[in-house]
Amino acid sequence: MIRRPPRSTQSRSSAASDVYKRQGWFWHRQLALRAIMTEWEADLLEQSQQARARSNELQAVSAALQKANAALQRQVENLTAVRDVTLVMGATLDRRALLDNAVGAITFLLNFDRAIILLVDAERQALVLGASSHPAQSAEDQFRLEQLEIPLAAETDLRLLSTWKTGQTVLVEDGQALYSGRYGWVFGLLNLQTFLSVPLCVGNTLLGVILADNNFTGLPISDEARNLLSALAANIAIALENARLYHMTDEALNRHVAELNMMRQIDRELNDALSLDRVLNLTIDWALRLTGAHASLLAMVEPEVRELRVVAAYGFDIPDEKLIGTRLPFDQSIAGRVARSAESVIVQDVKRDPDHIAWSKQTCLDQAI
């Protein structure tokens, strides 16, 4: 016969089992919640790090934008200043004032330490000193600089010339390499080490070149300064060309007015003259003044014998009285050709002219007619 435990004992055992089950469930639940919380914390930490990284990126972008904005504003200010200087230079036709404004703008506006402008002398076909922001170290060096003359044809002695003629800007980083050349004394005298050379061109015509450096401060030449100087150089070249054309026109006008005044005076004096010799001498005198020649000869046509007879002369190596009365062929000589055509002629080389006649060396007329 099997004896069962008391009923109360069974109830207590079942209740204990329920408690254990509940505790296990709560413990499992707590572990699960802790895992979820740990995962959330990890996610929050990652999101926080990402947010911090994005914030840093935004700060970097903001700083870059501020820097770019400052650079852009500075560039706008520089371009505005270049425009203002260009307007000032364009308003003057005085080349000296224009050059002084140019070197001032290069040093004070573009912040170069020094500026030297070399200009093309059309008559000598050479580069000469136009302007300099600073004098040479000694009076002797300054005198040499002012006497500078670099022929435009000296490309083999100064290779920079061929580059300048094509309108190209050249940044010379080793100026001492130029010192040994024929015209290297110029760069040595100015102690040019690293310098920027910008040609002044209008079309394909070279008007000069700008040499700019930072010899005193030793600062590098930035791309911004290089671009601004190139832009300014283009305007300087135009202003120089305008000044040149204006002075050419002004000089031509003054010369034309002087010629008209001279012609009126010639006409008045010739009308007042009562003798033929006086008229002839006045004609010779005014011919010399008008042309700037050193010698003059006047011959009159004698149609009966088809010859020219010298009636007045001045400035030749032989006495005038020996020249006066000399006869020239009407059909062969240069003077005869002028008389036949009634047109002026400029003869560059008398000996190569087809109408030239080999006169006696004692008369020296082959150099005059």
Side-chain angles (χ1 to χ4, degrees):
M1 180 176 171
I2 299 174
R3 300 180 64 180
R4 294 182 179 181
R7 193 172 180 84
S8 59
T9 303
Q10 291 180 354
S11 299
R12 285 196 298 269
S13 177
S14 176
S17 177
D18 291 340
V19 170
Y20 291 146
K21 288 180 179 179
R22 292 191 189 99
Q23 288 179 348
W25 182 83
F26 282 119
W27 177 252
H28 179 73
R29 180 78 176 193
Q30 188 175 6
L31 290 176
L33 289 173
R34 286 182 179 178
I36 293 172
M37 292 296 294
T38 301
E39 185 177 354
W40 285 358
E41 288 177 357
D43 290 342
L44 288 174
L45 179 61
E46 184 179 357
Q47 291 176 7
S48 176
Q49 291 175 348
Q50 291 177 355
R52 189 178 297 109
R54 284 195 296 269
S55 177
N56 293 335
E57 290 178 0
L58 289 174
Q59 290 179 357
V61 171
S62 177
L65 288 174
Q66 290 179 356
K67 184 177 180 181
N69 184 54
L72 181 60
Q73 184 176 359
R74 184 172 62 253
Q75 186 176 9
V76 170
E77 291 175 352
N78 289 335
L79 289 174
T80 302
V82 169
R83 182 204 63 187
D84 294 340
V85 171
T86 300
L87 292 175
V88 171
M89 289 191 300
T92 179
L93 295 171
D94 183 352
R95 194 175 75 162
R96 181 72 268 156
L98 194 157
L99 292 173
D100 290 341
N101 288 335
V103 294
I106 295 170
T107 52
F108 292 106
L109 176 61
L110 305 186
N111 296 320
F112 282 95
D113 290 352
R114 292 188 305 177
I116 301 99
I117 298 180
L118 306 179
L119 293 178
V120 172
D121 187 306
E123 293 183 359
R124 290 183 281 181
Q125 283 296 292
L127 285 172
V128 299
L129 179 65
S132 177
S133 61
H134 294 75
Q137 294 182 352
S138 66
E140 180 181 357
D141 288 345
Q142 182 64 26
F143 177 77
R144 293 181 63 197
L145 192 60
E146 291 174 355
Q147 301 304 311
L148 168 67
E149 186 172 322
I150 303 177
L152 295 180
E155 297 180 6
T156 55
D157 298 317
L158 183 59
R159 294 183 179 179
L160 282 173
L161 271 173
S162 58
T163 308
W164 292 339
K165 288 180 179 180
T166 61
Q168 299 182 49
T169 297
V170 182
L171 176 62
V172 179
E173 297 180 327
D174 184 13
Q176 290 187 353
L178 302 171
Y179 292 3
S180 59
R182 181 178 179 182
Y183 299 99
W185 65 268
V186 180
F187 305 98
L189 185 148
L190 295 170
N191 192 26
L192 289 169
Q193 304 290 333
T194 298
F195 64 93
L196 184 64
S197 64
V198 182
L200 299 170
C201 295
V202 174
N204 296 324
T205 304
L206 179 67
L207 302 182
V209 61
I210 297 174
L211 307 178
D213 72 349
N214 290 328
N215 180 267
F216 306 137
T217 60
L219 295 174
I221 299 175
S222 65
D223 291 338
E224 181 182 3
R226 178 173 178 170
N227 294 333
L228 287 173
L229 183 55
S230 297
L232 183 61
N235 291 289
I236 293 173
I238 293 173
L240 284 172
E241 181 66 6
N242 290 338
R244 184 186 70 85
L245 293 175
Y246 170 79
H247 286 294
M248 282 182 58
T249 304
D250 191 49
E251 290 175 0
L253 180 61
N254 291 335
R255 184 168 59 251
H256 184 61
V257 171
E259 290 175 356
L260 289 177
N261 291 333
M262 191 176 295
M263 293 302 295
R264 282 197 295 267
Q265 187 172 353
I266 292 173
D267 185 63
R268 184 171 58 252
E269 291 188 8
L270 289 177
N271 289 330
D272 293 341
L274 299 177
S275 66
L276 179 60
D277 290 339
R278 173 64 175 165
V279 170
L280 297 177
N281 290 331
L282 283 174
T283 304
I284 286 288
D285 180 59
W286 283 109
L288 292 171
R289 295 190 191 187
L290 285 171
T291 60
H294 300 292
S296 178
L297 180 147
L298 176 62
M300 296 185 68
V301 177
E302 294 188 348
E304 301 83 9
V305 292
R306 295 189 62 80
E307 288 182 339
L308 296 169
R309 181 171 58 88
V310 177
V311 294
Y314 177 84
F316 292 96
D317 294 335
I318 56 179
D320 297 343
E321 56 271 14
K322 289 188 177 181
L323 286 176
I324 296 175
T326 303
R327 296 185 177 275
L328 311 173
F330 186 78
D331 298 325
Q332 299 177 8
S333 63
I334 298 174
R337 186 176 72 209
V338 173
R340 295 193 308 271
S341 64
E343 295 181 356
S344 302
V345 174
I346 296 178
V347 181
Q348 302 293 345
D349 189 345
V350 173
K351 293 182 179 180
R352 293 186 178 183
D353 192 280
D355 284 330
H356 171 67
I357 295 178
W359 300 97
S360 170
K361 293 183 179 181
Q362 294 181 354
T363 63
C364 298
L365 287 178
D366 59 341
Q367 302 296 324
I369 55 177

